[in-house]
Amino acid sequence: MQDSSQLVFGLTGSELLGWFDTAVQAFEECHDTLNRANVFPVPDADTGTNMLLTVRGAVHGAREADPRQPALLLARAAYGALTHARGNSGIILAEYLGGLARSVQATAFAEAGTQLAQALGAASSSAYGAVAQPVEGTILSAARAGANGALGVADSSPSEVIAAAITGATEALDRSHLELEVLARAGVLDAGAYGLIVLLSALQQVLSGAPIVRRELGSAVVSESDGSVHADGEFEVMCLIRVPDEALIFDDTVAHTAAFRRVLSQLGESVVVIGGVPDSGVTVWSAHVHTNMPDQAITALESELPGVVLSQVVVRNLERQVAVSDGFGAAVRLVVCASGPLLALDLARAGAVVCVERAQELGVADVERALTEVHGASEEHGGDHETALDAVVIVNSSRLSRELENMSRVVGTVVAIDDAQVVAATSAVLTAWEHEPELAAQRLTEIGQDCVDSLVTMRVEVLDRPRLAPLVNEIAVHERGVPVVTLLTDRDCPPSVIADLTDGLERAHADAEVIVLGSGTLGNGLTASVEWIDD
């Protein structure tokens, strides 16, 4: 029999793992209900999906722990949720679990009911603290009401404590449309608040056998002209932040967390930063922001501390996601890997989910992270086989292509060697898809690779006439059709040189089309590609 001081909420490690398994099953059954009601902070119909994927991450973390150490298992579950968090709702849910885990570490010898009540209070405080601008009528309100209910019966059994928490959270859910105007306009209750109730209800089932709480939230109808997306930011950026422990300035990681949150708050809305968790010599955070300037959000985080390494940096266009979710458009399932942070704006606007490479080379985890954005809940742990293959992945290195070969969810990759080729391949894939939306991912991949293979590309580090002459000569001496020249400029590339080069290219071929895009990459050079289009 396990020592009661080693139990968590009166539960063994195996029973805690059962909580998360039960939660995953519950979210699998109700995530569509949450998606249909999702209108805040933007109506992109993915709250249920994001919460499901985040809780799956918790299961992944929990399974790495020894079930004989339930407090450690809960901590690993919270860390798994942090590293797998998706969207605004998912990252708040991950911090809620983090608050639970930290409280348990400090209350090992408390009575089980008291320990649970105190943990729910700590989880609510942690969730509120993670959000730069907390809003009532959301998951935060449900967390606080649940905590208040639990603390009111803290001397009771864990079953009675969790029941009181669910009652309080449900009351907050029922009044959410009174506290948040956008919910009232859409005729729904808050999806995130119900998601929290699902998580607590799964714990209640493990504690007492009670059924999962089922609710109808309503189905939101959003107009194309609603305007709520632009008000919150055109793009969503999510990433993991890793800092070597020796590079930390403050002993308390809370100060660093606040600094990261402050940086993003200057550039966007829906800012959530969680973590500060030590892991093998580095400290890890997860960050989320809606912004019109994703490139600046990325570079600002990197500039906050020496040694910051960003990974799983994913950028997507919220307007396009909202339009697709509400039936105003269609979407090609396209993941694009690029190194230029400014380039992510154009690629995401075009319809791609963008993996942005920073100091650390992109790997399988980065692509898997982006694939969940195009596939949603079906992507991990058993989606429909045909659906799982219906994506085009454009990578920026042959190494990454080889690493992806064993991923059953990737039908193939377009292999580019630089961002200029990435842009050309993306354009080719999207153009083909717009003309024939029924084209399979395999055919689109072939079209993208054919485009890359036909390109002439070059990198120019020093912009003077002798070094630019080969680019001009390339289109002057050939008569293969109409040249499309893409110039990707580094951050400090002189505009006057680009203007002269554009003029020279157009004089070399009267029909030349010259496209100039900023990459945001450090330097003062450019990368160019030339594609010949038949007359």
Side-chain angles (χ1 to χ4, degrees), residues 38-93:
N38 174 202
V39 296
F40 183 82
V42 292
D44 51 353
D46 64 357
T47 289
T49 299
N50 289 336
M51 292 183 126
L52 169 56
L53 294 174
T54 302
V55 175
R56 282 178 177 168
V59 171
H60 178 78
R63 291 193 184 283
E64 293 181 340
D66 184 345
R68 294 171 297 180
Q69 302 180 62
L72 178 59
L73 185 145
L74 181 57
R76 295 308 299 174
Y79 184 70
L82 181 154
T83 56
H84 289 75
R86 301 292 188 266
N88 191 69
S89 54
I91 196 169
I92 293 173
L93 193 68

Side-chain angles (χ1 to χ4, degrees), residues 274-295:
I274 68 171
V277 180
D279 182 33
S280 303
V282 298
T283 300
V284 184
W285 289 263
S286 181
H288 171 278
V289 63
H290 292 170
T291 178
N292 293 324
M293 300 168 286
D295 57 314

Side-chain angles (χ1 to χ4, degrees), residues 64 68 208 255 258 263 309 324 361 402 442 479:
E64 293 181 340
R68 294 171 297 180
S208 68
V263 164
V309 175
V324 170
E361 290 184 334
R402 290 192 299 271
Q442 179 64 59
E479 297 182 358

Side-chain angles (χ1 to χ4, degrees), residues 162-364:
I162 196 65
I166 292 173
T167 297
T170 301
E171 291 172 353
L173 170 67
D174 288 338
R175 61 176 178 266
S176 60
H177 65 296
L178 302 176
E179 296 181 317
L180 195 54
E181 184 181 354
V182 66
L183 300 178
R185 288 201 308 268
V188 297
L189 300 177
D190 185 65
Y194 177 49
L196 180 68
I197 292 169
V198 171
L199 180 70
L200 297 178
S201 184
L203 178 56
Q204 183 182 38
Q205 185 170 103
V206 172
L207 285 168
S208 68
I212 300 296
V213 175
R214 306 291 182 187
R215 290 294 302 269
E216 282 300 322
L217 308 178
S219 296
V221 177
V222 181
S223 166
E224 266 190 294
S225 59
D226 179 80
S228 61
V229 179
H230 265 313
D232 199 52
E234 185 181 356
F235 302 93
E236 179 183 62
V237 180
M238 286 200 73
C239 65
L240 295 179
I241 306 167
R242 287 184 167 87
V243 181
D245 290 345
E246 63 270 17
L248 297 176
I249 298 172
F250 306 110
D251 292 334
D252 186 355
T253 60
V254 173
H256 291 295
T257 306
F260 288 131
R261 194 176 296 127
R262 183 171 58 254
V263 164
L264 292 181
S265 296
Q266 295 169 355
L267 297 168
E269 304 291 335
S270 296
V271 174
V272 188
V273 179
I274 68 171
V277 180
D279 182 33
S280 303
V282 298
T283 300
V284 184
W285 289 263
S286 181
H288 171 278
V289 63
H290 292 170
T291 178
N292 293 324
M293 300 168 286
D295 57 314
Q296 293 185 37
I298 292 167
T299 55
L301 286 174
E302 291 175 324
S303 301
E304 181 60 27
L305 277 175
V308 167
V309 175
L310 302 186
S311 64
Q312 298 187 35
V313 184
V314 174
V315 178
R316 66 179 183 128
N317 181 265
L318 290 171
E319 270 203 334
R320 182 173 287 272
Q321 173 69 20
V322 170
V324 170
S325 67
D326 287 306
F328 299 123
V332 60
R333 288 176 169 178
L334 175 62
V335 170
V336 174
C337 302
S339 58
L342 185 58
L343 195 57
L345 280 74
D346 296 296
L347 294 171
R349 283 191 182 120
V353 174
V354 186
C355 288
V356 184
E357 183 173 85
R358 305 310 296 149
Q360 180 175 293
E361 290 184 334
L362 293 177
V364 172

Side-chain angles (χ1 to χ4, degrees), residues 2 6 20 122 144 264 287 294 321 343 346 415 428 455 490 523 531:
Q2 193 160 5
Q6 294 182 349
F20 293 114
R144 182 170 59 193
L264 292 181
Q321 173 69 20
L343 195 57
D346 296 296
V415 184
L455 291 175
D490 294 346
E531 179 183 8

